[in-house]
Every structure is written in structure tokens, then in C-alpha cells.
Amino acid sequence: MVVTLERVPTVAPAVAMRGASVRFGERTLWDDLDLDVARGEFLAVLGPNGSGKTTLIRVLLGLLPLSRGEVRIGGAAPRRGSPTIGYVPQQKALDPDLPLRGRDLVGLGLDGHRLGVGLRGRRERRARVDAALASVGGTAYAHSPVGRLSGGEQQRLRVAQALVGDPDVLLCDEPLLSLDLAHQRTVTDLIDARRRDHDTAVLFVTHEINPVLPLVDRVLYLVDGRFRIGPPSEVMTSAVLSELYGTEVDVLRVRDRLVVVGADGRNGVHH
Amino acid sequence: MDRLFGFEGLGELLALGFVQNALIACAVLGVVAGALAPLIVSRGMAFAVHGTAELAFTGGAAALLIGVGVGLGAVAGAVVAGLVFGILGLRQRERDSVIGVVLAFGLGLGVLMLSLYSGRASNRFGLLTGSIVSVDSADLIVLAVVAVLVIAVLAVLYRPLLFASTDPDVAVARGVPVRALSLVFAVLVGLVTALAVPIVGAILVLSVMIAPGAAAARVTASPLVATVIAVAFAEIALVGGAILSLAPGLPVSGYVAALAFLLYVGCRVFARLRGRAAVA
Ligand SMILES: Nc1ncnc2c1ncn2[C@@H]1O[C@H](COP(=O)(O)OP(=O)(O)OP(=O)(O)O)[C@@H](O)[C@H]1O
Ligand SMILES: [Mg+2]
């Protein structure tokens, strides 16, 4: 939090939500959510399956309207295709025979929404794509078919694809899924460097807080319509999580890791 | 074997006006079919193309029956089919069953209408298996106009189409109108299919709309290179098939389909060998 206070106290927050609710029919995913994410802040979004983490990202992308409340991103209402947002989607298998190379995937993140075939400005485009690829260590497989790459390689290309457009807000939906420890480091370091150098706000959905624990400014923990926002030291406690899950949950600190132990498995406590 | 391959009198045949018309038609069709093929493959739309072709057949048969131009009927049928498939499903599973149901119905209807038709039998057969002798200068103009239109639309929408076809989730988030593009693309496919049906026939449209793209995808992952290769393959299959069919006087579709298939198998073998060489 120190980061955010000393940096840009006067500018509008990167993300602001007031009394935000999302309802599907009878079901309320979350209700009355107030959230400010400052520029350069790293917010981890945690919660069990189906708690509405991806839905929150869809709201911020302008793909889903709120049922109630207000949301601003960069001071304006969310809209599809905002150039100030980078997006790393929740992982989905790509067809192995898809005629698309790694560098094409990254390039589409830069200008895939533009009309035309893209003959103008090719040199600059190439340089930016190359730089994005290099930053995730993806140069070696830039020319391979994306569908044939490993899940981790695809995920790193996704990060490059999200960063190549130079975003102010980065929305990541479980970007660490299927990455080994070393590559988790690569990706988290990359995202951390990005927000330090460019003041990019990061919303980072994850099931596993430990890989990002040293970077996290605050946590948004969603469970079954209830939520809690605060620094990890305040949210990731036995008392708070027990209250959120409505059952006894223990948070243990083992060296510099947090281990969350549910009283039983029913609530799907992750970590 | 002698009946299948002959080049006797090929020189004289090539000098005939209607033969030249046919070859030009094949060349034009090759450009548009090849240009669309890699995107069709990316979108997993092979079955949709087949369904569209069958409905172009239905439209052609209906036109024959009521006595308007067959080409017009084919275009109407294919475009309607494209729109219906485009509206009904982005989800492939649902789309496939919808296509299966509509295709069967359309084909049945077409067969029924052909049986009721009492005109020349070659008109009838032509819709199913194609024939190039039927291409006249008026058809050629229609073909050229549609081809220019399709290429123009493709040139303007290429990047968002590629984005929407290969990476729809991120494309939506980046503001690409994925749904609208899927409709536009379905109409493009419908138009080109309708042009291909009189030449290669409703049954074998896949050999020019899919095979070149599928073959190209085997040997390259670059969308641009894949498009160039697909156009080249479509030209080889269509123009080559047409020339081979001339002297024996047999249906062009068989030759086109065989060439397209050989190119596809060749690409698979090539990719195999190259993969092995890369490992070794
Ligand atoms: N358009 C929709 N209509 C109805 N229900 C929906 C819709 N979108 C999402 N849901 C429901 O909302 C709930 C939250 O979905 P969401 O994808 O946000 O969960 P999540 O927290 O991302 O879960 P996971 O950890 O599994 O990714 C799910 O139960 C889902 O079925
Ligand atoms: Mg999710």
C-alpha cells in the first residue's frame, strides 16, 4: 500500500467500483463491492471455483454489465476493446493444427482489432512483437504453431500478447496455471517489472497466492457472495477466512509461505 | 486407364471459347477459395461449408424448377445457409448438429425438385457433380464481380477476421465484433460456395474450399504463407483438374477432387518427413 500512496495520489484510480453487484437470475455472485485499485498496485483475486473471479474480469473488460452499482476503469466506463487494458485469459486448449505461430498470437494482441491486412508500419510492429516475445523468453518458439506448444509456453505468449499493447491495467485470469516454478517466477517477475516501470495496475486472479505473495499489495477474497479486501496480512488469517467460508479454516505460516487448511474439503478451499 | 488420361486433341480443345471460359472461371474460383480456405480451417468450419454447398444445390434445383438462373438459385441457397449457420451457432457442437439437420432436409428437398424437373438431364446432374461446359460469358462476369467483392471484403477485414477465427476470447475483449464477423464470413463462404457448385458440383465443393487450406496448414503455421500455398493448391487442383478432364470428356469434379486429395496427402507426408528430419 505504501507504493500506491507515495506514487500517484492525485490521479483517478486505475479501477474503481462502487456498490457493484452481479446477479445471474436468482443467484447473486457478489453484492455491494467497493474496490479501488491504484495505478501500480498489485491486487490478487482469490476464491474457490465459481466465486465470480472471471466474472469480475468480464465486467472490467466491458463484456458484462453490472446488475447494480458503478464501475470505472481509468476514469471511464468499461468498454470493449479499450486499448488501455491488457488481458490474459483463463487457459483454454488451442487446436494443435491451428495455422498460427507464436508471434502471430502476440501480434494480434497489438493490432488484431485494426482493419486492413497490416502492411503499413510493419517494421515497428515487428520490433514491438520481438521485444514482447523476448521479454517472456519466447523467442525460441516464436515460429512454432501455437497449438503445439506446451501449456506453459502458450501462457507466456499470452502474457506477451497482453503486454505488447502497453496497457495501464492488466487483467490476468490464472496466468500461473500449468507453469512450473521457474516459469511462474519468470511470469510474475515480468508482471511485477511491468507495474513498477509503467505504473500498470494488476488484477491477478489466482488459486495459489504463494508465488505472488511478495508482490501483492492487497487481496480480494471472494467466497460464495461474501468478500474481503485488504493486505494479505489482514485477509489471509484464520479468523477472516473462517468467517468467509462459514466453516473453520486455518491459515498457517510455514517459512515465507501461507498454507490454508480447510476444516473439511466441502467448501473447496484451495492452496 | 486410357479413358481417364488422354491428351489427344487437347490443343484444339484449348482453343475453344467455352473451354477458355471454363479455365478462366476455374482460375478465378481458385483465388477466392484458396484465400478463404485457411480461415475456414482455423474456424473448424468444414462441415458448415459442406452444409452450405448442399443448400446451394437445393437453391439451384429450385431455380431450375421455376425456370430462373441456376446460378442465382445457388447463390440464394448458399447465402441463406451461411446466414442461418452463422446466426445459430458459434458453439461448434450445437452448430454441427444444426447443420446436419438442415443439410439433410435441404438435400432431400433438392432431390425432390430435381425429380420434378423435366428439362435437360445434364442440367440436373451438373448441380451435383459439376460441369464446366456450362460456363458462359455472363457467368464469368458474375464470377469476376463476386470474386472482386470477396477479396475486397477480405482485404479490409483480414486482421480482425484472423483474430476472431484463431483467438475469439481475447478478440472479444479487444473489441473485435466476433459475432458480426462470423456472419460476414459465413456470407463470404456462401458466395464462394455458390460459385463453386456449378463448376465442381455440390458434393465435391469441399475439395476446393477445404483441402487446399487443410494441406497448407500441414506445412506452415504462418497465416500469410498458408494463404499463399492454399491459393496455389486451389489453382493447381481447379485449373489442372479442368485441363485433365478435357480430352477424356469426363466430369471435371473427379479430377479436381483427386488432385486436391493428392496435394493434401503430399503435404502430410512432407510434414512427417520434415518432423523426422528435425528430430534426427
Ligand atoms: N452468463 C452467465 N449466466 C449465468 N451464470 C453464469 C454466467 N457466467 C457465469 N455464470 C456463473 O457464475 C459463477 C461464477 O463464474 P466465474 O467464471 O466468474 O467463476 P470463477 O471464480 O472464475 O471460477 P473458476 O475458479 O472455476 O475459474 C459460475 O457458477 C458460473 O456458472
Ligand atoms: Mg475463472
Side-chain angles (χ1 to χ4, degrees), chain A:
Chain A
M1 286 308 285
V2 186
V3 179
T4 64
L5 289 179
E6 71 188 22
R7 274 192 189 189
V8 267
T10 52
V11 196
V15 175
M17 304 180 89
R18 293 286 171 276
S21 310
V22 168
R23 228 169 271 133
F24 292 120
E26 292 286 278
R27 180 162 173 225
T28 300
L29 267 193
W30 25 263
D31 198 17
D32 218 10
L33 177 65
D34 291 332
L35 175 68
D36 278 323
V37 186
R39 298 186 57 187
E41 184 174 4
F42 194 116
L43 178 85
V45 182
L46 288 102
N49 292 128
S51 56
K53 306 181 295 296
T54 297
T55 304
L56 173 66
I57 287 190
R58 286 173 50 80
V59 166
L60 296 176
L61 286 170
L63 299 177
L64 186 79
L66 288 173
S67 311
R68 208 150 45 81
E70 214 193 330
V71 54
R72 304 250 134 198
I73 189 153
R79 61 180 180 90
R80 280 169 205 221
S82 163
T84 59
I85 301 180
Y87 170 49
V88 179
Q90 192 160 1
Q91 206 173 25
K92 236 195 229 168
L94 290 162
D95 179 357
D97 287 331
L98 196 65
L100 196 76
R101 298 165 302 173
R103 62 173 308 118
D104 300 318
L105 188 83
V106 176
L108 286 174
L110 185 63
D111 61 8
H113 57 290
R114 299 240 180 95
L115 296 181
V117 285
L119 290 177
R120 247 179 296 151
R122 279 177 72 192
R123 186 170 310 171
E124 194 211 328
R125 178 182 200 268
R126 175 181 288 263
R128 287 183 72 174
V129 171
D130 283 342
L133 281 164
S135 71
V136 296
T139 309
Y141 46 83
H143 291 269
S144 304
V146 274
R148 301 276 169 95
L149 296 173
S150 76
E153 288 165 341
Q154 289 179 6
Q155 205 60 357
R156 284 148 76 191
L157 289 175
R158 288 286 186 197
V159 173
Q161 185 191 37
L163 291 184
V164 72
D166 204 13
D168 293 333
V169 179
L170 189 57
L171 307 175
C172 307
D173 203 345
E174 304 194 31
L176 301 184
L177 216 65
S178 81
L179 292 184
D180 59 34
L181 284 178
H183 288 129
Q184 286 185 358
R185 266 306 282 273
T186 315
V187 168
T188 52
D189 285 353
L190 194 73
I191 291 173
D192 190 41
R194 170 77 209 178
R195 66 150 179 154
R196 285 185 191 289
D197 299 345
H198 299 266
D199 261 346
T200 303
V202 180
L203 264 84
F204 196 99
V205 173
T206 181
H207 276 290
E208 177 61 65
I209 193 174
N210 286 308
V212 287
L213 196 53
L215 318 177
V216 169
D217 295 312
R218 283 188 305 161
V219 171
L220 165 62
Y221 209 121
L222 298 162
V223 184
D224 214 11
R226 294 178 294 273
F227 60 85
R228 222 25 198 276
I229 305 172
S233 57
E234 286 172 22
V235 176
M236 303 302 289
T237 65
S238 301
V240 168
L241 291 197
S242 295
E243 193 193 320
L244 275 176
Y245 280 98
T247 179
E248 204 161 305
V249 175
D250 291 310
V251 181
L252 310 173
R253 196 166 253 284
V254 183
R255 298 220 192 98
D256 53 353
R257 293 173 59 83
L258 291 176
V259 182
V260 179
V261 186
D264 56 9
R266 276 183 324 169
N267 287 296
V269 183
H270 299 270
H271 307 284

Side-chain angles (χ1 to χ4, degrees), chain B residues 251-277:
Chain B
V252 61
S253 51
Y255 291 88
V256 173
L259 280 177
F261 180 69
L262 284 179
L263 287 168
Y264 177 74
V265 172
C267 284
R268 283 202 81 115
V269 171
F270 176 76
R272 237 319 161 56
L273 295 177
R274 190 177 54 178
R276 215 173 273 164

Side-chain angles (χ1 to χ4, degrees), chain B residues 52-80:
Chain B
T52 306
E54 302 306 351
L55 290 187
F57 159 75
T58 311
L64 212 52
L65 195 61
I66 49 179
V68 296
V70 173
L72 210 63
V75 169
V79 170
V80 168

